Amino acid sequence: MATLRLDALSKTYPNGFTALHGVDLAIDDGELIVVVGPSGCGKSTLLRMLAGLESISGGELAIDGRRVNDLEPAERDIAMVFQNYALYPHMSVADNMGYALKNRGVPKAARRRKVEKTARLIGLEDLLDRRPRQLSGGQRQRVAMGRAIVREPKVFLFDEPLSNLDAKLRVQMRIEIRRLQKRLGVTAVYVTHDQVEAMTLADRLVVMNGGRIEQVGTPMHLYERPASRFVAGFIGSPAMNFLDARLDGDGLTLPCGARLALPSEPERVADGEAVCLGVRPEHLAVVSEGGAGDGVLSVRVELVEPLGADTLVHARLDGQDDLVVARIDGIQPVAEGDSLILRPDTDRLHLFDPDSGQRLDDLEPECQHSTSPA
Ligand code: ATP
């Protein structure tokens, strides 16, 4: 059980490239933090710095209030679960799981007891005598988890632990990791590329971009109040639609001639000013009638993707190059070339500065720290 504090943490590699530019983050005891961001944004660098596998160039890292910048990995009481499992091929499951305890000089009988207890916790009790090559991918991942749990570390670090598993197993393991992490009450930092994994696992999500934190908050907070266009485009699938618009009294005018009423006038935009309008695909509904100026968008369908539970409709705004995606409930009788009228839910529009990308409408203070529910 531990808290983590990152204070202006930065990393410059020996070749002079700065991969992290002063990251601040406070992680609560027992919290599961998921770090997401595009390739190269510094997620692995950050995780490796927490683990002690990468030196810290500037700032401070504290575990339970104690500075650990210069401690060796073994001294930090942190366990890392890797994407490639990193199991010893010549050792049995039991020996893989008990290896760290052996190194610590824990006597054989005590080691066996701990390994067996952990194996029961994660459903490996019948596989303890097998070698890693005699296991499925999911079972190997379980051993890697077991090896981390046995050590009873203060902090778990996960580096894309499920990316080698098939879709069904990923879902199972995701649920299991969440259950185990909460049951053990251990603080965890989890890096992933997978949107759904990030949204479903995280107590709080950290969105990174170019070596900086763009926003920190609960998954729902980031979905509903993204602080920037970058976060808005990164959280949610399919991604949010972005359209040029101009503030026009109590509403917005789009280049296609559509006019959308706004629930309240954004404080930080002057009348007539250009804005970037964000609309999530699930907040566009197909309606049977309406015209320009009526709070609706006239579009022509370019592609229909039926997903079963819902249908993705890719369409072009009339007379414009802009493409929008609408996510419509159920299987829809819509075909390529059809003309449709889409009504955006005006209570759920997002406005961003077209230059800086920052959110314009009633921005809430960033949720850097929360006592989010388990
Ligand atoms: P991915 O999602 O692709 O794994 P990431 O977000 O984990 O990416 P990092 O691996 O942390 O990104 O890399 C961040 C940046 O630092 C990248 O631009 C990368 O090229 C650079 N980088 C990583 N390791 C080194 C190194 N040893 N020397 C110099 N630059 C490095």
Side-chain angles (χ1 to χ4, degrees), residues 281-298:
E282 52 275 37
H283 300 148
L284 285 168
V286 177
V287 291
S288 52
E289 50 193 47
D294 221 6
V296 295
L297 305 172
S298 301

Side-chain angles (χ1 to χ4, degrees), residues 11-20 35-48 54 83 159-160 191-193 208 211:
K11 175 70 187 179
T12 301
Y13 280 109
N15 68 353
F17 180 77
T18 299
L20 283 190
V35 183
V36 292
S39 183
C41 71
K43 304 181 294 293
S44 301
T45 300
L46 179 66
L47 210 63
R48 291 171 60 79
E54 205 66 75
Q83 176 179 349
D159 190 5
E160 307 223 18
V191 164
T192 182
H193 273 103
M208 290 187 62

Side-chain angles (χ1 to χ4, degrees), residues 312-335:
L312 301 183
V313 178
H314 301 252
R316 201 170 290 280
L317 292 184
D318 280 357
Q320 302 289 312
D321 287 338
D322 294 319
L323 266 175
V324 292
V325 184
R327 179 178 215 136
I328 321 258
D329 276 351
I331 298 164
Q332 297 288 324
V334 179

Side-chain angles (χ1 to χ4, degrees), residues 4-51:
L4 259 99
R5 207 190 61 247
L6 288 62
D7 255 332
L9 214 58
S10 68
K11 175 70 187 179
T12 301
Y13 280 109
N15 68 353
F17 180 77
T18 299
L20 283 190
H21 303 265
V23 165
D24 294 313
L25 186 66
I27 303 179
D28 283 337
D29 190 18
E31 198 177 16
L32 199 165
I33 290 281
V34 177
V35 183
V36 292
S39 183
C41 71
K43 304 181 294 293
S44 301
T45 300
L46 179 66
L47 210 63
R48 291 171 60 79
M49 282 162 78
L50 300 183

